[in-house]
Amino acid sequence: MDTSKIIDEYDRYRNSTLNMQASENVLSPNARKALSSDMASRYSLNMGKYNAYGGTRYFDQILDILKNNTNKLFDCRYSDPRPLSGHVAAEISLLAILGDNRNVMAVSEEDGGYPGYSENHLGRVLGYKFHKAPYSNFDLDYEELEGSIEKNNIGTLILGQSMFIKPYDMKRVNEICKKYGTRILYDASHVMGLLAGGVFQPDALRYSDLVYGSTHKTFFGPQGGIIITDNEGIYNTIEDNTIFNTMDNINLSRIASLSVAVEEMLKFGKDYAGKVVRNTEKLGGNLLEKGFGLVHGSEHSKTHQILIDEEYLKDKGFDYLSFSEELEKNRIIIDRFGRIGTQEITRWGISDMESISDAISGICNRLNKIEEINNLISEKMLKFW
Ligand SMILES: *Cc1c(COP(=O)(O)O)cnc(C)c1O
């Protein structure tokens, strides 16, 4: 079978499933069309006075519109949509922020943080020392935080997580960091769409130096990254520091697609994000009612994610991998770390969390729920575009 045929098969397969992977979303037809436009094979490199490449007049216009709309959406002064991914946005941001102080604190992987910040990854690449943020009960341990920042002379604190269900007390973090001159970076990769809709951590930017993250998890964009800030100095450093350091081409079609997504967010972001959070609450509540095990704190999830209790699965004879495989046999797709996300099904217009919870908990009890899932899938109708 040649690749084009496999792509058709792939699309058919994915259309016949319910994707509940917490780090993914679906693109609108307009955002998708942008990705396969002629821009997909072009360059653009703004040199200030002129563009180093010809033929870019329409693209330059799109980039301008995108930046203006992004500033409006997040109520910020500056934005940079060039990062090729959330990880690259983190790298660019850290390069701009890290000075002589190379002590960086972030939530560790064991606590649901992003593995990329550890000593083996960005710590090694950028030459900083990684410190684990004090953390308990799915939140920062604020009592410990101040002592740890002082003792370890932390220059940069990175907030935000991959397993992310609770907002932080940003005002308190900011007060502590101000005392020690510690910079605050907020990695909103998972919750960018919820931030844009104003339903989660609305004070993220107000109490940090910059916010960055992926554009494709709860946000409506193609895979990519974005940085937003109110700090002119940091923005200028990022402007100057990015090309030929962390990347060269900026993927024009991705940027055009992101621009479509930001327009969709401006129109529908509030409605969408509110529904995502309500669906998560309902799904978590319904699952708990059925006796399904969620990690402590999941009933209070304020995001798009709930986290499955591994011990509960073990009692039922599953682990994260085998349960994900069992769900997939019934056409529900989740990852293999126990996260379930509601953002994509919300975009597909699905609000029947009772049926989904019944299916998930039933599958965990070895029942076949394919008919129930097929009924839900047949109702998929893309919203918010
Ligand atoms: C997904 C994620 C990233 C990396 O984003 P990519 O777009 O996959 O490069 C960074 N930080 C957090 C917290 C994430 O969840």
Side-chain angles (χ1 to χ4, degrees):
M1 217 182 345
D2 63 21
T3 301
S4 304
K5 287 228 176 65
I6 300 175
I7 293 170
D8 291 340
E9 289 284 310
Y10 173 93
D11 277 348
R12 259 196 299 280
Y13 174 60
R14 279 305 188 106
N15 279 331
S16 72
T17 61
L18 216 50
N19 191 50
M20 300 189 74
Q21 233 139 207
S23 56
E24 296 179 353
N25 218 317
V26 56
L27 293 177
S28 74
N30 294 335
R32 209 163 144 159
K33 183 175 158 218
L35 280 183
S36 59
S37 74
D38 177 80
M39 282 181 260
S41 57
R42 303 299 165 198
Y43 271 95
S44 169
L45 177 58
N46 200 317
M47 307 289 281
K49 286 199 184 69
Y50 63 95
N51 199 309
Y53 293 89
T56 52
R57 69 175 77 170
Y58 291 109
F59 176 74
D60 289 343
Q61 208 178 330
I62 290 173
L63 188 54
D64 254 10
I65 291 171
L66 168 56
K67 284 185 166 192
N68 284 331
N69 281 337
T70 303
N71 296 352
K72 216 191 293 173
L73 180 64
F74 290 100
D75 193 20
C76 65
R77 291 174 65 198
Y78 308 99
S79 53
D80 191 342
R82 294 175 304 168
L84 297 178
S85 71
H87 185 91
V88 173
E91 199 168 359
I92 291 170
S93 302
L94 280 162
L95 269 177
I97 288 279
L98 290 177
D100 294 338
N101 184 327
R102 313 300 277 188
N103 288 311
V104 174
M105 179 181 273
V107 178
S108 71
E109 188 178 356
E110 304 101 83
D111 292 324
Y114 177 57
Y117 295 123
S118 74
E119 59 274 25
N120 297 324
H121 301 298
L122 284 177
R124 187 166 56 80
V125 175
L126 299 174
Y128 64 73
K129 184 163 163 42
F130 171 80
H131 299 262
K132 206 170 147 248
Y135 195 87
S136 59
N137 207 6
F138 279 90
D139 200 351
L140 292 168
D141 184 334
Y142 299 93
E143 301 291 325
E144 296 275 322
L145 186 65
E146 175 156 7
S148 189
I149 284 178
E150 185 180 20
K151 187 173 123 227
N152 297 302
N153 183 29
I154 300 300
T156 305
L157 172 65
I158 307 173
L159 299 176
Q161 295 167 225
S162 299
M163 313 268 182
F164 206 5
I165 55 176
K166 267 194 200 173
Y168 306 108
D169 185 344
M170 289 299 292
K171 188 162 180 283
R172 194 163 169 193
V173 171
N174 181 275
E175 278 163 11
I176 294 170
C177 288
K178 239 194 240 152
K179 276 201 225 168
Y180 302 96
T182 307
R183 299 277 209 175
I184 305 171
L185 305 188
Y186 194 103
D187 177 347
S189 289
H190 259 274
V191 292
M192 197 63 86
L194 307 182
L195 248 60
V199 301
F200 180 81
Q201 198 89 76
D203 53 3
L205 185 60
R206 181 167 166 214
Y207 291 122
S208 62
D209 292 283
L210 56 86
V211 173
Y212 60 81
S214 313
T215 52
H216 50 270
K217 292 179 180 176
T218 50
F219 206 79
F220 286 165
Q223 292 188 321
I226 197 161
I227 300 172
I228 58 178
T229 183
D230 284 331
N231 185 314
E232 189 179 4
I234 294 175
Y235 175 74
N236 287 336
T237 307
I238 287 171
E239 258 304 285
D240 296 343
N241 230 352
T242 298
I243 300 302
F244 304 135
N245 288 325
T246 43
M247 45 191 228
D248 176 9
N249 82 71
I250 58 176
N251 286 10
L252 278 59
S253 59
R254 172 187 65 80
I255 289 197
S257 176
L258 180 59
S259 190
V260 172
V262 169
E263 287 169 358
E264 292 165 350
M265 271 286 165
L266 276 170
K267 282 194 203 124
F268 307 110
K270 263 199 183 77
D271 188 16
Y272 157 77
K275 286 189 167 119
V276 169
V277 169
R278 277 197 297 284
N279 280 341
T280 311
E281 253 170 42
K282 267 197 270 176
L283 181 63
N286 289 348
L287 280 168
L288 289 169
E289 266 172 36
K290 293 178 169 56
F292 187 89
L294 298 177
V295 174
H296 175 71
S298 286
E299 62 270 45
H300 305 298
S301 175
K302 301 279 186 238
T303 65
H304 59 301
Q305 303 185 2
I306 49 176
L307 309 172
I308 305 171
D309 180 0
E310 204 169 9
E311 291 303 310
Y312 173 79
L313 287 188
K314 221 188 266 170
D315 286 346
K316 300 279 176 185
F318 288 112
D319 57 16
Y320 283 151
L321 172 60
S322 61
F323 187 55
S324 167
E325 287 169 342
E326 195 65 22
L327 286 177
E328 189 160 344
K329 283 186 206 152
N330 288 271
R331 299 190 181 273
I332 291 179
I333 295 183
I334 65 165
D335 63 34
R336 281 83 197 261
F337 335 105
R339 297 180 298 187
I340 301 179
T342 59
Q343 72 288 356
E344 180 165 335
I345 57 169
T346 303
R347 200 166 192 204
W348 280 116
I350 293 173
S351 57
D352 183 359
M353 296 303 120
E354 177 54 32
S355 294
I356 293 183
S357 63
D358 182 70
I360 291 174
S361 88
I363 291 162
C364 198
N365 289 306
R366 312 277 166 178
L367 299 173
N368 183 320
K369 291 286 175 179
I370 192 94
E371 209 167 306
E372 224 167 316
I373 306 293
N374 278 340
N375 284 338
L376 287 163
I377 289 165
S378 68
E379 285 163 19
K380 275 174 35 172
M381 174 100 84
L382 197 73
K383 296 285 196 306
F384 313 115
W385 63 288

